Every structure is written in C-alpha cells, then in structure tokens.
Amino acid sequence: MKDLKVVGHSVVRSDAFAKATGAARYTPDMIPVDALVAKVKWPDYPHAILKKIDVSKAKALPGVEAVMLAKDLPGKNGYGPMVADKPVIADGKVCYEGDPIALVAAVDEETAKKAVDLIEVEYEVLPAYDNPFDALKPDAVIIHPNSPFAEEGNICNTVTVTTGDVEKGFAEADYIIENDYQTPYVEHTYFEQDICIAEYDWNTGGLTVTSPNQAVFQGRRHMAAVFGIPQSKLRSLCPYVGAGFGGKEDACLDVTAVAGVLALKTKKKVVFQLNREEVFRTTGKRHACWIHHKLGIKKDGRITAVQAETYLGKGAYVSMSGFKAPAYAVIQRTAIYAAGTYYCPNYKTKSVGVYTNTPYGTAFRGFGVPQATFAMECQMDEAARLIGMDRIDIRRLNMLKAGDMMVTGTYAMAERGLGLGECLDKVRAKSGWDKPFDHGKWPYLRGRGIAAFMYGTGIPLMFEGACVFALINTDGSVQLNYSSTEMGQGIATTGAQMFAEEMGMKFTDIEVHFSDTLSSPDSGPTVGSRSTVIVGNAIRDAAQKLRANLFPVAAQMIGAKLGFTVDTRDLTADDSVIHIKGRPDIGLTYAQVVAKAYISQVPLAVIGMWYPPHPGFQQPSGHGPTMHTFAYGVHYEEITVDMETGMISVDKSVYACDIGKAINPLIVEGQMEGAAVQALGWGVMEEELFDTKRRNGKMENATFHSYMIPTAMDVPEHTSIIVECPNELGPWGAKGIGEPGIIPGAPAIRNAFLDATGISAGKIPLTPYEVMNLVEADQKKKAEAKAKKAPAKKSAKKEG
Amino acid sequence: MSEFFKPKTVKECIDLLDQYGSKAMIVNGGTDAVEKINTGKAQPEAVILMTEMKELKKITVKDGAVHVGGAVTYLQMLKNAEIKKNQGMMIAVGAIGSPPVRVMATPAGNVGTAAPSADCTTMLMGSDAKIHVVSKKEGERVIPIDKFFVKTYVNVLKPEDLITEVEFPAMQPGMGSGYVRLTRRKVQDIGKVLVSATIEVKRGRCTKAVIGLGALNATAVRAYSVEEALVGLSRKEAQEFCRSGLPKEAGLRPSRYTHYKEITTPVALERAVMMAWDQAEGKVK
Amino acid sequence: MAVVNFKLNGNDVTIDVDAKERMIDTLRKRFHLTGAKLTCGTGDCGACTVLYNGKAIRSCTLLTCMCDGQEIVTIEGLMPMNGGKLHPVQQAFMEAGAIQCGYCIPGMILTTVAFLNENKNPTTAQIRAAISGNLSRCSGYVKIIDAVKLAAKRMREGA
C-alpha cells in the first residue's frame, strides 16, 4: 500500500493566505459602486392581516427607483429550499417578523431607508404563537389556512417510526424512565450577514446573483421560478462565505429573491444586505423541540424499548423541516434518532412540526439530531444512575454493533466503520474517568458527564449524488470545479487534496473553482456533512477518468523512449510526474503528457460522479435505508456550578470522533472544536426569546449583546481525539464531520450538572436563571421529602 | 453635514458647548456616543473630541481623594498604581466590555450615558463618588453621584455641561472595596445584578459602609438601608444581614429576571461586602 | 464636512468626511480596505478591529474624525509594513489551522499583534483574556490560542 502524500496531511489551506492578509473577498466586499440599494418594509407584528398598504409617498421620493408589492412580481410568489411556500412579498397576511410587505430600491442606503419609513400599513393584529402548544389550542388562529403546506390546522407535518413492539418492550423492562425535555430556538450567528448582489443581464434578459449560499444549484431551481426565467439564464455564484452552519441554505434565498426581482424591474444592479438585527429577526433558526421520552431498561442496563413524541416549533414556513414525501428533513431526523446510537429492538416515535409565528426553522448543524440525541443521552444517564451502572459501561453495552438492526430496519455494518467503542475507550483513558473525582465544596460543586452520538453522512433523498468537472491544461495545471461552498469547513482545500492524491499530482498544481453554476455541474448542496464523502468520491472518479485518458499516452511516450512496449499498469504518478513504478527518474511530467494528448484526440476534460446506495424512507413505518455510513463520537465535559448564582463554568473537555479518515487532520479538529463550542453555547447560554407580553411576540434578543455566544474565556481546556474506523464507501475511508461535532456537548454538560448537583435538568440552556429555578425547586423538594418518607418505587418518574 | 472640533483646554471646550448646546456631542471613547449615532438617537452637528484635552487625561491623588480626569480611559485606570489599591474598582473596570473597548471608553463618558447596568457607575456609586462638572454659564459644580441620575439614561446635566473629573476617596488602612457582578457568560456581558461595596473596619466591626446597586433599579442607587444596618456589626453578623433579604433600594420591576434578581442579590451583596471586608482587614495582597 | 489627516498603514492620508462617519465605513467604502468586517455593528464581536496608535480597538464605534493626527493600521498593512513578508502572527495563524471561514481573522490577528507587542511570553489565561473581545463562531478558539502561542515563540526567537 502506497503511503499517502497529500491526503491525511494537515496541508495549509489554500485560502489561508488570502484570509490572513485581508485579501479574501466575500460578497459584502464586492458591492459595485453603481448598485442600487434595496431595503424591505418589515412588519410591525409577527402575525397580522394586511388591510391597507400605501406606498405612494415612498414612490414619490427622489432617488427611489422601484417600489414593489406582491402584485408587481414577475414570477411565482413562493419559494423555499424544499417547497415553494414562502412568499417573496407578503400577499394579504404576514406570518412572522420577516415577511416583506414591500420592497424598495434606491440610489443609496439613506434614501432607501427614508422610503421604507414613508410606507404606511394598516394591520389587523392576530395573536402570535412562539410554541407549538399555544398554536395547537382549539381556539388558536390558523397561520396558513387552506394551505397545501399544512397537514391539518397549524400542523405542518407528522413523521412516525415504528419498529418491534414497544408495549412488549416496556413490559419486559425492569425500569421505565419517562421525562420531558426541551431545547430552544437557536441562532446560527454566522459572522457574514446575508446579502445578494443581483445584476440584470442585458444579453440574455436573465440575472447573475452573487450571495453567500450553501447550495447554488438548489437555490437556482427555486429562484428561476420566482424570477420567471429559465434556470439556464440564471447564474448563481458564491465567493468565500463567512460561515453558514446550515443557515445559508435558505437565508440566501430570502435576499436573492428581493435583490433579483428589483434587478429585473430596474434592469440594473441591486444589492440587498441584511444588518445584524435583520438577520436575527428574519432568517431561519434551529427548531425548538419539546420531547416526551420514555425509556425501558433491564437491571443489567440493556435497553428494551424507546418511545418518544417530539413537537417542533417549526416557525412560519416549511424551510428545511420537511414536508410530505419525499421532502423529509429535520422532522424525520428527530423521529429516527430518538434512541441515539444504541441498539433498540422496540421503538416508536412520532414527530410533529407545528407552525409558529417565529422565524422559519431551518437547517442548523445537526439538523434535528442534536435535539433527539439530547433527550436520549439525558435518559441514559438517568438510567445509569438508577441502576448504579457506570455511565460509559452502559453506553458500551447498548451501542450498535455489526449486524444489529437499527430503528429504521436497516443494519449496522462493520464495513462502514463502527468506531464508537474506540471513542469510548479513548475518552475514558484521556479524561481520567477511573480516577477519583473531586466534586467540589458548597457553593462551588463540580461534576463530569459524557454523551455519545451517531450521525449519518449525506442526504437521504433520491437526488443524492455529486458531479464535478476537471480539466487539465497544457501546462499541467488543473482546474477542478465543483459546486460546493467554501464556508470555512475547508472543502476547497480537501477537494484539491483528494484530487492531487488520486492523480499523483502536487497539491499546488490544483486550482479549485467552487460554488458557481457557470463553472461546474451540480455537486449537490453543501449540507448534511456530505461533501468530503459524496463530492470527494466524485472528485476521485474524475481523477481516475483523467488518469485513464492520460496514462496510455504516457505509456506510449515512455515506451518510445525505452524502445519497448510499456503497459499502463507499469506506471504510477507522484509529484505531477508519471513514471515507471519505483523509478521516478524514468517518466514525464503531466504537462509533457498533456501536450501530446492534446494533439492525439484524447479528451483533457472529464466529469466525475458518485452516487451512494439509493435511500428510501417509508411512512408510517419509518423504515428504509437513510445514510450509508455514520460518524460516531463521545464528548466528556467537566463543570463547576456556583449553586448560589447559577453560573456554570465548563472547565475541561475531551472529545473523540470516529470520522473514518481525516483527509486533513487540522481541519477535522477545527470542525470538532468549533462545533464543541457551539454545543457549549447551546447548553448554557443560547436561546431566542419571543416577547408575547410586551412586544406582540417579536424577538426580544436580536443583537450580539443580548444573544450570548461563547467567548475565549467561556471555553474549557480541550483535547480532540481523531478516531479512524474506515467507511468502505468513503474516499480513503472517510465519513462526514461538518455537523456531528455539535451533537453531544450539551447533554454532556447537562449530565455533568446531574453529577455535580444530583439535579435532573430537562431544559437547556442551563442559564443562571434556569439553574437557580432548578436549585430552588430541588431544595424545596428535599425539604418536603424530609417531612414525609416515600416508599421505594420500581418506576422512576420525575417532575421535569 | 457635521463637523468636528478638538479643543485643547476646558475653556475652549465649554465655549463650544455653550455655542452649540444640544446640537453638540462630546465624544470621548466613542463606545456609547457612536452607538447613539448609529441607532439614530443622536444626530449632532458638532462632534467635540476629547483627544487633545491633556488637562483631563490625568489621574491624581490629593487630600485623600483620587481624581480621575474626564478624558481618562479605563485602560489608564487599570495601569494606575493608586487605582490598583482599590480592589472593587479594579474588578469593576476590568469587567467593562472587552480589552479593545477599555482602550477607548471612559468613566466620564459612561457616567454621562447614565445606563442602569454600568459597572464603573455602580462602583462609583459604592465609592461615594463626586462628579465635577463645568459649563460656561454656571461655572464649576460638584455633584454627588447619588444625586446625579434622574432615570434610565437621564442625568441632571444640561447639553452645555462638561464632566471634568470623577472623584472618590483613596484607599486607606482599614478600608477595603469589593465588586460582584452576575452575568450570563464570563466576560463581555451586561450584568443582571451589580453590587459594589466600600467598607471600613476597626477592631473587627464595621465602622462605615457605602453600597452601590446596579442593574436592579432604574438607575444605579445607594443601598442606604444596608449601609446603616452594617455599622457596628461583626463579620459574621454582616454576612447574615446581607443574606437576610433584598435591599429595599433594589426597586425591582417585573421582568423575565425578577425572581432571579430577588434570590441572588443578597448573595452578591454578601460576597461584595466580604471581599471589601477582607481587604479592609489586610487579607488581600 | 470635516477634513481628517491621519496615518493609514504607514502612509499619510487625508479624507473629507462627515464628522459622524464611522471608521469602518471610511475604510471599506472610501479606501476599499475590506479586511475589517462589519459583522454586528454594536461593538460586540471584534471583526472590525484595527490598530489605533498600536492598540487594538473596534472601528465600528470609532468616528473617522477621532483619528485625526493618529495612526491606524489595518490587516492589509501588516505585510507591507513588515518589509513585504508575512507578519509572524499571520504565518502562525495560517499554519496552526486557526483559519476557517476567515471573518474573525483580521481582527484576531491585529489583536494578537498588539497583545504580543506588550506581552512577549503570555500564559494561556492571558491569551484568553486578550482575545476575549474577539468572538469566533467557527474555531472554538482552540487553534487560535495555539496560533498565538506559536507566534509568540517565533517572535521571541526573532522571526
């Protein structure tokens, strides 16, 4: 086996120099000086009927070039990453703070702002709901009445999974643990605000749109209908992106729709940029979840049954929560991951997405799996505590092993990499799990906790697959084009690493052109932790095809020099030289070979492609193949709790992830570490709040000083451990790591809190206020229990 | 269109303020002022910068009081030998914003902004500070800080007034100060409960207490009821008293955090007072 | 309008702006120096960081007229002012894997430059405190702290 020269090495990213010197251009750095500035009239209420809109004063303001209402739109007044349900401009009704009432394009920002302020609107205010339960009350106002995108009333969609027989499973259990869990709406806080520069194309009557966008082709499919032009006349491109975390799969469509329709109307360039407050109020969030979870276990720790009912606060539009077949997404994940990474023979889940008057629930790192895993990992600690079993041992006992049936009816395969056991062992050793632990002294109590995860690579939908384009120039330099978005996860670098390795070329000979519908075929959206594997395999395929074209030419040329026939199997390539195996000095550079191929009717450009095993998901069973491989991980967190102020300090973190093969280890660690800190934020400080009492349901905390994300002082001393249990279908064994890093951190912190205080928390974030509520309730309960003694019970049921 | 001025003396400055009145804005560190401009709350015609005001950039000690000039930054305070003796002040100032904010922001500017949840303002309240003000028409005045605030974001100053210095007692033997703030994350967060304390202790008993509360009432306030009660108490008695309940001056309004503030303010109060007590008894280096 | 004279990346410049104009806007729109990013607009994130007389501060709460007679250095100035070579802090950030999406990086690098000029051998705790005003959403700060340590080591060794 050849030693890998590029893959598996922490090569410096190809964009590092540009980003370290300020030369890197993002969309906000490219605004043309002659672009009109767009602004939107946002609603004053998150739920209201629009009785009257008067734009006459805005239209009359000098410097205003266009004012648009719903009736002025050129194409479909509906779009979304999955279904076309979100209006470009509100037509008669607004369902959340981000529904545009009117669009303005003016010569500069000041004029556009003035024009928006001159628009007068009369509302009939409706009650605004920020959670599923208020929206499901019998007297609740229906947010989307008579809509093809609502299953019934305010229910968007229901997904179920049934395996085995949970009644039987619970009957077999020695203990039943039943609890409620709650996770909040969360903000991505990607640093680059959403923006689109739309330019009318006078040659074609079409548009070029530039926007930070995780899915240029997916977006184009929807935007073309909005603009009323064929997809082939819409060029969608995206430069470096200042992070996305899933949010820029949909928010980009919001800004593109506005900028694009105004560009078409004015036949000019239009820029529409959201300021930070607008990003908070109008773009998509992580779905808030309310989970009722029931776990059955035997006294030896084995799981017999899991039953979970999940309600998702799905926001005002479908976005990425999923709708009917085949568009299952976040809702589906909450239904299939409720037993986490464990073997569970009897399983029944129901997940219900309910419309609320909050920003649409969209993709956010983990895509519903963090929420589902949170509940299960909390339950596992409750189980361990109840039966007196070590918390690592109980996870090891139940973890999916080769041949185990998963809750979707498919099977865990060793060939796809089952590395959870190794992760558990390494975390156990590195964290000092078996050493005595200092639990601190009142009021500073200390605790430690762990959580485990599994997370599938890719999108379990029928279109999953990737195409890339590669061409080699006559000077031996390569253009490798794929539609993935470089948003910090390093795909522009790792894609080149994989191509270089497969070709036997120098990493620096490969130039990647990314995320532009002009330059490449559809490599699929940059989501689902899929790029390394699915796009990577297509990149390998392209390299193999190009080699297959060039090696015969090289064999002939080398043979001519040596005076006898050389077979292509006698050749290999290293450092951009094709040579006789073992003799790098007997060969030719790729440039020399290409020069000959060019005049020998040998194609110098290829399309690479790859498709995973075809997914399928049936309802109501929830059975079918979803993802072909899964990443695994274990996160250990140590905390200190100030029991008098509620402040939690996360002190130490040890994190192991099985990612199959690290194409670039430093990049993989960076993904794990960034995600781990997002998990910390989710666990102790991040939540979107909506003020139904004083602000008619508008968002309360829409700035960086009212929505807290971790600073360098909030993060623990951290160790990342890469585990590699290869996926036979992944490039060099790789699996995806973009998302799953975020999954176990929050339940690990919650479990550490349980270890420190003996208090079972059901809700995150564990802000100081939430902690003090729990501490007070616990102290009250202890005082009451002292007064009367309760008999020991078989089933453990707690107030949340 | 606005213009800017860089007066070199207090006289030049108050002449400008007198001329422009409410159309002028003093910009010290800029951290509060620029935010007001960004959000449209202020649209000054004349921006008056303090960058050349050498006479206001000094920290001096005179007659047992520390005088912090109106253009002194938090970074300057943190490096000053006299301020370093004041434990509470160092904690409060060191917690404001973040390092880049402290390079530019000033106590005079923050006092002028009159935010209820400001760390330095709360510590100054708990130091019995005095604000020195001057204007062309009224000349020099000294306003005790507990008479300085009217309501949230409103103080007693007129547009023509300039804060020339903030003054508070220098640390003496037998005196200590403390500051506690309760936040959501460790740094760069506006506190939900702020407590400052300056305590004098003689032979194990409190002889004087000045207590400031921030982020609770509409402005930073003095907790006189606590101050009176602490005099004469031993350390243990003081601890028990602080924990016994919410000071009436807290004046909590209904909000998402009301109950949290009710139960944690006594804790913060006790911790701030004990921090000061330890310094007063020479237990802090 | 106000005529402001200052030193920008080592060069004397003059610009005529409204006294209310922010430095972040002057840099990006008038000088086309887009390295400093406008991310939060409220002084909370540090992506707009520039050096003001050698100290790292926020340019989104800095009026351009406040820079009259002062010295400003942006990320674009580091290499030219270092003899055309990457500053050791830039080099360290590139090698330590500290760069992901890159949006916080110009601010982080400048904050680090100012910090290491004053503290040549910082502890981890001091580094965390020094960058506590620069938020990062991609990195989790781990490799940023590694980069600062690497840069400090190289600068001590005379890189």
Side-chain angles (χ1 to χ4, degrees):
Chain A
M1 263 297 272
K2 247 181 122 184
D3 275 338
L4 297 174
K5 290 198 133 172
V6 190
V7 162
H9 295 266
S10 292
V11 307
V12 173
R13 299 170 61 112
S14 49
D15 55 3
F17 179 84
K19 289 175 176 176
T21 55
R25 288 282 180 274
Y26 304 77
T27 310
D29 306 326
M30 298 165 150
I31 300 172
V33 292
D34 57 341
L36 297 177
V37 176
K39 288 262 173 245
V40 166
K41 170 73 182 165
W42 302 112
D44 296 315
Y45 304 95
H47 196 196
I49 293 178
L50 303 173
K51 304 219 73 151
K52 195 165 144 219
I53 308 171
D54 184 355
V55 297
S56 53
K57 295 195 185 95
K59 274 190 164 147
L61 188 68
V64 169
E65 299 216 4
V67 179
M68 291 180 78
L69 295 171
K71 62 177 172 59
D72 303 315
L73 290 169
K76 197 176 174 135
N77 190 10
Y79 67 93
M82 298 193 94
V83 299
D85 65 323
K86 185 171 194 279
V88 179
I89 303 177
D91 194 358
K93 182 178 189 193
V94 293
C95 301
Y96 85 112
E97 284 185 72
D99 269 328
I101 293 179
L103 316 181
V104 170
V107 293
D108 57 34
E109 192 174 354
E110 210 183 312
T111 309
K113 273 189 185 155
K114 280 201 184 106
V116 166
D117 289 339
L118 290 171
I119 296 175
E120 290 163 3
V121 184
E122 237 178 76
Y123 301 93
E124 181 189 316
V125 181
L126 299 170
Y129 309 116
D130 69 346
N131 68 81
F133 307 105
D134 287 339
L136 287 174
K137 289 197 171 124
D139 60 346
V141 174
I142 304 303
I143 297 171
H144 297 295
N146 308 312
S147 164
F149 304 112
E151 192 178 279
E152 187 198 335
N154 278 327
I155 294 177
C156 169
N157 192 23
T158 306
V159 173
T160 56
V161 181
T162 305
T163 301
D165 180 350
V166 288
E167 299 299 323
K168 188 163 135 300
F170 287 125
E172 281 170 13
D174 293 317
Y175 297 98
I176 292 175
I177 299 163
E178 193 168 359
N179 287 303
D180 289 301
Y181 296 96
Q182 190 181 337
T183 69
Y185 298 105
V186 189
E187 180 79 16
H188 303 76
T189 73
Y190 39 77
F191 271 29
E192 182 192 10
Q193 294 129 304
D194 299 284
I195 177 175
C196 177
I197 302 168
E199 182 166 350
Y200 181 70
D201 187 338
W202 281 90
N203 289 328
T204 65
L207 283 174
T208 296
V209 293
T210 306
S211 177
N213 178 347
Q214 288 176 226
V216 290
F217 278 93
Q218 178 177 287
R220 186 170 83 157
R221 287 192 275 276
H222 291 279
M223 290 291 104
V226 162
F227 301 142
I229 60 179
Q231 291 181 30
S232 51
K233 291 193 182 192
L234 177 57
R235 177 181 174 195
S236 177
L237 68 111
C238 162
Y240 291 129
V241 172
F245 311 120
K248 288 188 164 121
E249 188 182 1
D250 196 349
C252 52
L253 303 183
D254 295 340
V255 290
T256 301
V258 169
V261 300
L262 287 169
L264 276 173
K265 180 128 176 111
T266 57
K267 296 198 168 36
K268 290 185 175 175
K269 296 174 198 159
V270 176
V271 60
F272 180 47
Q273 185 171 21
L274 299 181
N275 63 35
R276 182 54 58 180
E277 191 181 343
E278 288 170 321
V279 176
F280 270 103
R281 292 189 186 284
T282 72
T283 66
K285 312 284 168 248
R286 183 185 292 286
H287 295 72
C289 283
W290 287 257
I291 303 168
H292 185 82
H293 199 284
K294 191 170 165 186
L295 170 67
I297 53 157
K298 295 195 83 65
K299 45 177 173 280
D300 68 356
R302 221 147 352 119
I303 294 168
T304 62
V306 163
Q307 183 167 3
E309 195 171 82
T310 301
Y311 282 85
L312 293 91
K314 107 117 268 95
Y317 296 100
V318 173
S319 184
M320 293 307 298
S321 60
F323 191 54
K324 293 189 177 37
Y328 294 114
V330 173
I331 293 183
Q332 179 230 36
R333 306 297 195 275
T334 61
I336 63 178
Y337 279 91
T341 184
Y342 308 108
Y343 172 63
C344 177
N346 302 298
Y347 181 87
K348 191 175 160 88
T349 59
K350 180 172 109 169
S351 289
V352 185
V354 181
Y355 283 116
T356 53
N357 300 108
T358 55
Y360 51 90
T362 194
F364 189 165
R365 207 171 203 169
F367 210 66
V369 181
Q371 295 97 307
T373 307
F374 175 76
M376 184 61 187
E377 286 301 302
C378 294
Q379 293 283 76
M380 288 300 275
D381 255 41
E382 296 297 328
R385 220 172 151 84
L386 192 60
I387 63 178
M389 188 167 180
D390 176 272
R391 293 171 285 166
I392 290 185
D393 291 343
I394 194 174
R395 287 170 165 90
R396 201 169 229 297
L397 177 69
N398 287 290
M399 70 185 189
L400 281 164
K401 299 178 184 62
D404 281 343
M405 191 189 72
M406 300 193 283
V407 299
T408 48
T410 54
Y411 299 93
M413 297 177 193
E415 292 85 345
R416 304 290 169 80
L418 297 175
L420 184 59
E422 194 179 332
C423 291
L424 285 166
D425 293 340
K426 290 196 160 148
V427 166
R428 183 177 207 130
K430 186 76 188 167
S431 67
W433 186 259
D434 296 299
K435 298 199 181 92
F437 182 78
D438 172 14
H439 278 93
K441 207 175 71 159
W442 188 276
Y444 303 107
L445 300 186
R446 299 189 66 239
R448 56 189 178 161
I450 61 156
F453 77 86
M454 73 186 267
Y455 189 79
T457 294
I459 307 169
L461 293 174
M462 297 292 274
F463 61 73
E464 180 58 300
C467 279
V468 306
F469 172 76
L471 82 84
I472 187 163
N473 294 305
T474 52
D475 60 358
S477 66
V478 166
Q479 266 161 249
L480 175 60
N481 301 357
Y482 40 96
S483 70
S484 308
T485 298
E486 174 53 74
M487 49 184 179
Q489 87 286 41
I491 192 62
T493 300
T494 52
Q497 282 181 264
M498 290 189 273
F499 190 87
E501 186 71 56
E502 193 64 45
M503 283 295 281
M505 289 184 80
K506 293 195 192 97
F507 171 70
T508 45
D509 284 343
I510 319 297
E511 190 65 34
V512 173
H513 294 214
F514 47 81
S515 51
D516 186 345
T517 55
L518 189 76
S519 74
S520 81
D522 190 357
S523 319
T526 315
V527 304
S529 307
R530 63 186 287 284
S531 304
T532 301
V533 175
I534 298 174
V535 182
N537 278 334
I539 289 171
R540 276 195 100 166
D541 182 54
Q544 285 160 11
K545 283 171 169 156
L546 206 48
R547 269 172 79 118
N549 288 359
L550 296 175
F551 267 45
V553 177
Q556 208 189 42
M557 292 168 79
I558 294 171
K561 268 206 199 153
L562 295 175
F564 48 78
T565 320
V566 168
D567 190 282
T568 55
R569 288 165 290 185
D570 298 336
L571 300 176
T572 187
D574 294 290
D575 296 323
S576 301
V577 172
I578 303 177
H579 62 87
I580 298 280
K581 282 177 179 166
R583 291 302 300 264
D585 59 318
I586 306 177
L588 298 159
T589 63
Y590 264 104
Q592 289 168 319
V593 176
V594 170
K596 182 72 184 344
Y598 181 57
I599 54 173
S600 312
Q601 300 194 332
V602 173
L604 301 177
V606 294
I607 303 273
M609 59 197 80
W610 194 75
Y611 300 92
H614 230 160
F617 181 74
Q618 294 156 39
Q619 283 289 275
S621 67
H623 288 201
T626 52
M627 291 75 158
H628 73 278
T629 188
F630 295 82
Y632 296 89
V634 178
H635 200 164
Y636 165 96
E637 306 253 42
E638 247 178 59
I639 69 169
T640 304
V641 187
D642 181 336
M643 297 294 279
E644 294 180 329
T645 65
M647 190 72 171
I648 290 178
S649 167
V650 183
D651 307 317
K652 185 168 155 187
S653 160
V654 177
Y655 195 11
C657 284
D658 162 28
I659 47 80
K661 171 75 184 170
I663 304 298
N664 185 319
L666 266 189
I667 288 181
V668 168
E669 286 175 357
Q671 290 297 290
M672 289 169 64
E673 288 152 12
V677 169
Q678 286 186 334
L680 190 159
W682 189 45
V684 304
M685 60 177 82
E686 293 186 41
E687 57 182 345
E688 296 286 12
L689 300 168
F690 298 90
D691 193 345
T692 40
K693 290 200 179 79
R694 287 182 305 169
R695 290 172 231 220
N696 298 295
K698 288 184 106 176
M699 191 181 291
E700 246 178 70
N701 51 343
T703 64
F704 266 38
H705 52 252
S706 48
Y707 184 91
M708 301 276 97
I709 67 173
T711 69
M713 299 283 282
D714 296 294
V715 300
E717 167 204 315
H718 177 91
T719 305
S720 295
I721 301 169
I722 293 177
V723 168
E724 293 177 323
C725 268
N727 161 29
E728 63 174 350
L729 296 184
W732 296 276
K735 307 174 186 179
I737 184 57
E739 292 171 278
I742 201 175
I743 297 169
I749 290 171
R750 178 270 184 200
N751 289 341
F753 181 79
L754 173 59
D755 185 51
T757 64
I759 300 174
S760 299
K763 184 165 170 271
I764 48 168
L766 287 167
T767 59
Y769 329 115
E770 182 61 23
V771 171
M772 289 316 294
N773 285 344
L774 291 168
V775 170
E776 270 200 301
D778 184 62
Q779 285 170 343
K780 185 163 170 236
K781 214 170 68 174
K782 283 190 171 115
E784 284 169 1
K786 243 185 168 177
K788 55 173 181 171
K789 292 209 189 273
K793 273 165 126 159
K794 171 179 136 165
S795 86
K797 244 174 169 264
K798 286 177 290 321
E799 288 81 35
Chain B
M1 290 289 121
S2 316
E3 31 175 345
F4 74 98
F5 300 93
K6 289 168 57 169
K8 292 192 170 58
T9 63
V10 171
K11 181 174 184 313
E12 263 183 71
C13 187
I14 57 179
D15 281 344
L16 281 166
L17 284 169
D18 193 69
Q19 184 188 344
Y20 284 94
S22 56
K23 295 202 180 79
M25 181 186 236
I26 295 172
V27 175
N28 227 326
T31 51
D32 285 341
V34 181
E35 216 188 315
K36 286 196 189 115
I37 292 172
N38 285 348
T39 52
K41 291 198 182 99
Q43 292 290 292
E45 279 175 26
V47 169
I48 302 177
L49 303 177
M50 299 280 104
T51 40
E52 302 285 297
M53 298 279 281
K54 289 194 169 47
E55 48 186 297
L56 298 188
K57 281 185 188 279
K58 302 197 187 90
I59 302 176
T60 54
V61 185
K62 211 174 73 159
D63 305 326
V66 182
H67 299 263
V68 176
V72 167
T73 64
Y74 288 123
L75 184 60
Q76 263 181 280
M77 285 178 77
L78 290 169
K79 291 185 167 172
N80 179 273
E82 192 58 40
I83 305 287
K84 283 183 181 178
K85 296 178 192 166
N86 189 323
Q87 181 180 227
M89 189 65 70
M90 287 297 285
I91 295 171
V93 170
I96 294 166
S98 56
V101 169
R102 297 193 283 274
V103 168
M104 302 297 279
T106 63
N110 287 155
V111 164
T113 300
S117 308
D119 293 292
C120 188
T121 305
T122 305
M123 189 66 230
L124 290 172
M125 186 63 75
S127 308
D128 201 11
K130 298 198 207 343
I131 316 298
H132 291 238
V133 177
V134 68
S135 73
K136 187 168 177 178
K137 290 195 178 70
E138 292 187 56
E140 286 184 10
R141 293 111 68 206
V142 179
I143 306 171
I145 195 167
D146 59 352
K147 304 275 182 292
F148 189 81
F149 301 111
V150 176
K151 56 179 185 180
T152 307
Y153 298 114
V154 179
N155 60 39
V156 296
L157 298 186
K158 299 192 190 62
E160 301 78 27
D161 287 327
L162 172 70
I163 296 174
T164 53
E165 73 167 64
V166 170
E167 177 202 329
F168 50 90
M171 285 287 126
Q172 310 291 350
M175 193 173 159
S177 63
Y179 186 75
V180 170
R181 59 189 234 124
L182 304 185
T183 54
R184 292 163 293 186
R185 66 179 177 199
K186 290 189 185 171
V187 291
Q188 201 179 236
D189 189 15
I190 298 166
K192 288 276 177 276
V193 175
L194 312 175
V195 182
S196 60
T198 307
I199 306 285
E200 287 174 39
V201 175
K202 214 167 175 179
R203 285 191 284 273
R205 296 212 168 251
C206 174
T207 53
K208 185 172 177 200
V210 182
I211 309 287
L213 301 175
L216 303 176
N217 211 321
T219 70
V221 292
R222 287 271 295 270
Y224 296 107
S225 61
V226 176
E227 295 173 11
E228 283 166 30
L230 285 175
V231 172
L233 295 188
S234 70
R235 193 180 199 280
K236 189 157 179 290
E237 289 163 347
Q239 272 183 298
E240 279 164 17
F241 174 76
C242 288
R243 294 256 176 175
S244 65
L246 189 66
K248 69 170 197 269
E249 292 88 354
L252 295 181
R253 275 83 47 77
S255 85
R256 224 179 251 280
Y257 308 105
T258 309
H259 184 62
Y260 178 77
K261 293 185 187 197
E262 273 168 9
I263 60 177
T264 57
T265 301
V267 174
L269 176 63
E270 188 251 331
R271 290 183 184 182
V273 170
M274 289 302 112
M275 208 187 278
W277 198 292
D278 285 344
Q279 186 180 28
E281 290 193 320
K283 291 189 183 135
V284 174
K285 192 77 200 74
Chain C
M1 290 297 266
V3 174
V4 182
N5 297 293
F6 63 104
K7 236 188 174 70
L8 178 58
N9 294 333
N11 302 310
D12 291 318
V13 298
T14 300
I15 194 127
D16 198 354
V17 291
D18 186 304
K20 299 191 295 291
E21 182 161 309
R22 296 178 302 188
M23 181 49 94
I24 181 72
D25 296 317
T26 302
L27 287 172
R28 290 178 58 83
K29 294 183 181 153
R30 298 186 197 279
F31 288 104
H32 304 295
L33 294 169
T34 56
K37 307 297 183 202
L38 181 57
T39 286
C40 74
T42 50
D44 293 303
C45 74
C48 67
T49 300
V50 297
L51 298 183
Y52 177 88
N53 300 332
K55 295 241 180 307
I57 66 160
R58 289 150 165 32
S59 64
C60 76
T61 52
L62 181 71
L63 295 178
T64 304
C65 64
M66 287 166 72
C67 302
D68 190 60
Q70 317 298 333
E71 281 191 45
I72 300 291
V73 175
T74 69
I75 187 72
E76 293 91 344
L78 281 191
M79 252 182 96
M81 293 170 82
N82 193 41
K85 289 190 312 165
L86 283 167
H87 190 287
V89 172
Q90 290 172 303
Q91 187 71 47
F93 268 69
M94 287 167 62
E95 289 174 26
I99 300 174
Q100 292 190 37
C101 87
Y103 232 63
C104 75
I105 290 300
M108 280 287 185
I109 287 177
L110 289 171
T111 297
T112 302
V113 168
F115 171 61
L116 292 181
N117 283 342
E118 295 214 339
N119 187 337
K120 305 227 180 301
N121 198 358
T123 62
T124 304
Q126 287 168 336
I127 295 172
R128 284 168 185 270
I131 64 169
S132 62
N134 292 74
L135 299 180
S136 168
R137 193 55 160 166
C138 297
S139 70
Y141 306 102
V142 178
K143 296 201 182 327
I144 289 180
I145 293 169
D146 288 346
V148 176
K149 287 183 177 161
L150 178 61
K153 178 168 173 291
R154 289 181 175 167
M155 283 165 76
R156 286 196 303 274
E157 290 163 2

